[in-house]
Amino acid sequence: MATPVTAAPPSAAPAAAMDAPGRVDWVDTAKGLCIVMVVLLHSTFGVEQAVGREGFMHAVVAFAKPFRMPDFFLISGLFLARVIDRDWRTYTDRKVVHFAYFYLLWMTVQLVVKAPVLAAEHGSWWAVPGDWALALIDPFGTLWFIYLLPVFFVATKLARQLRIPPLAVWLVAAVLESAPIHTGWMVPDEFAARFVYFYTGFLLAPRVFALAETASARPLAAIAGLAVWALINGALVFGGLSEWPIVSLALGFAGACAIIVLATLLVRSRVFDPIRYCGEHSIVIYLAFFLPMAATRVVLLKTGVIESVGAMSLIVTAAGILGALAMWWAVRGTRLDVLFTRPDWAHVAPRKRAAAARLQPAE
């Protein structure tokens, strides 16, 4: 394992979890909660925009806003210490080319699906290739997360190689999150808003695993802590204070910790295995959910069988998640498997065959 940039882990158990080659159940469960919240966001807003009014799920989406993406990015940085000191070729293959392949592929898929709408908006089909070119520098649609991840991976490795003190990097990232940076371009805006969470996941991974271990050992205290957090988060969100500087940073970290604690509690019961499964295959859902989500929304709106906006949002969310997984299951072992598995020609470093059979595209 790469030499960590932080102090020794507070206990052997968290360190062992970080070094273990297999999956960590609570990590997958936390990722599952995050991907469900992401799909719920797009499903709810899509339905509400189409019908012109809000449903009961609007409040749930608002409650999750402060921590939905911070937790996703923090978890994405947890295992970076394993690979950050690899040579640039291998590192670039695993952490840049990997995500670039899926971004370019699914960005093209999304543009093809949305081409008629985009052509109508621009008044010409010739504008669609321009949208494709623009998406190379400004992430398209729902795919901005996997566009930003390689940027974060490279920024973190560069900071390490340049021997910039980790505390200095963290402080700059925290200031950027709290600064009112709104350029209108996705990459600088989201980098400023999210990098601090990713870097914290990398920097404080042993402490994050220690938090999970403590929550698992003291479930009653963990539940009490979650209740207090929920009250505070809700009060600040619905009080209109959650996006204030410093407050947003605090809520992002508090919410990320809450999701981690909740995930450690959920893995105690097999009832929540479907959430863990969604997290294990979160990249599959993230890449493909827009297709079944949009199709289900259109069907529900045209048939009018469901009147409740909130109910429609939940149905569309479930369809997006299950539909994406169904697409993945359907193409496995076929030529279309390249939609979810990076082919040999898309590697710039030798591929580990044993690992390739086990690992999903997110890793």
Side-chain angles (χ1 to χ4, degrees):
M1 177 179 175
T3 303
V5 296
T6 56
S11 70
M18 290 173 61
D19 288 335
R23 308 198 69 96
V24 180
D25 284 347
W26 72 257
V27 172
D28 283 332
T29 301
K31 287 166 62 179
L33 292 170
C34 290
I35 194 61
V36 168
M37 288 188 290
V38 168
V39 179
L40 179 63
L41 163 71
H42 292 285
S43 299
T44 300
F45 282 0
V47 171
E48 291 179 346
Q49 184 178 22
V51 301
R53 66 181 189 277
E54 295 178 359
F56 61 80
M57 292 306 299
H58 189 89
V60 177
V61 170
F63 178 85
K65 183 179 179 181
F67 58 88
R68 179 175 51 245
M69 296 313 297
D71 186 53
F72 228 150
F73 279 112
L74 188 146
I75 291 173
S76 297
L78 284 182
F79 299 99
L80 182 56
R82 291 179 177 179
V83 299
I84 195 169
D85 288 325
R86 291 179 180 176
D87 63 277
W88 270 104
R89 182 186 177 190
T90 302
Y91 188 81
T92 300
D93 178 72
R94 306 292 192 268
K95 300 302 183 183
V96 179
V97 177
H98 181 83
F99 292 100
Y101 169 80
F102 290 110
Y103 174 76
L104 288 172
L105 174 61
W106 282 92
M107 178 265 287
T108 303
V109 171
Q110 285 201 21
L111 274 169
V112 169
V113 172
K114 296 180 179 180
V117 175
L118 294 173
E121 290 178 354
H122 293 304
S124 171
W125 282 90
W126 293 106
V128 177
D131 287 335
W132 189 93
L134 179 63
L136 297 178
I137 58 173
D138 197 37
F140 182 80
T142 60
L143 297 173
W144 66 271
F145 175 78
I146 62 170
Y147 188 106
L148 261 291
L149 275 179
V151 177
F152 289 171
F153 284 126
V154 171
T156 303
K157 186 172 177 67
L158 282 175
R160 184 176 176 86
Q161 289 208 329
L162 293 174
R163 300 185 181 278
I164 301 174
L167 179 59
V169 176
W170 190 92
L171 288 173
V172 170
V175 170
L176 287 175
E177 195 280 342
S178 297
I181 297 178
H182 302 290
T183 66
W185 291 85
M186 184 72 76
V187 174
D189 290 357
E190 293 298 338
F191 183 94
R194 313 298 184 185
F195 182 63
V196 65
Y197 302 108
F198 177 88
Y199 194 75
T200 298
F202 163 66
L203 196 65
L204 300 182
R207 301 188 186 280
V208 173
F209 279 91
L211 170 65
E213 183 186 45
T214 300
S216 180
R218 303 176 62 186
L220 293 180
I223 292 172
L226 286 174
V228 172
W229 160 78
L231 290 173
I232 295 174
N233 186 81
L236 291 173
V237 167
F238 299 113
L241 306 177
S242 61
E243 296 187 16
W244 284 17
I246 307 301
V247 175
S248 64
L249 182 66
L251 286 182
F253 281 120
C257 290
I259 292 298
I260 289 167
V261 169
L262 177 59
T264 63
L265 298 178
L266 295 184
V267 298
R268 299 165 71 94
S269 172
R270 295 191 63 86
V271 171
F272 300 101
D273 277 359
I275 296 178
R276 178 194 55 77
Y277 187 83
C278 286
E280 187 176 349
H281 305 287
S282 59
I283 190 69
V284 169
I285 297 171
Y286 189 82
L287 291 173
F289 80 88
F290 80 98
L291 279 171
M293 176 191 71
T296 305
R297 182 176 66 236
V298 170
V299 171
L300 289 177
L301 292 173
K302 286 187 176 297
T303 60
V305 293
I306 304 292
E307 294 185 0
S308 169
V309 175
M312 279 195 288
S313 300
L314 287 175
I315 293 171
V316 170
T317 298
I321 293 171
L322 296 176
L325 290 172
M327 291 171 60
W328 171 59
W329 292 330
V331 302
R332 287 188 301 175
T334 72
R335 291 185 179 182
L336 291 178
D337 192 38
V338 295
L339 288 171
F340 300 104
T341 303
R342 186 165 50 129
D344 290 341
W345 59 262
H347 287 258
V348 297
R351 185 180 182 186
K352 291 184 178 180
R353 294 291 176 179
R358 294 194 309 270
L359 302 182
Q360 298 304 320
E363 299 176 5

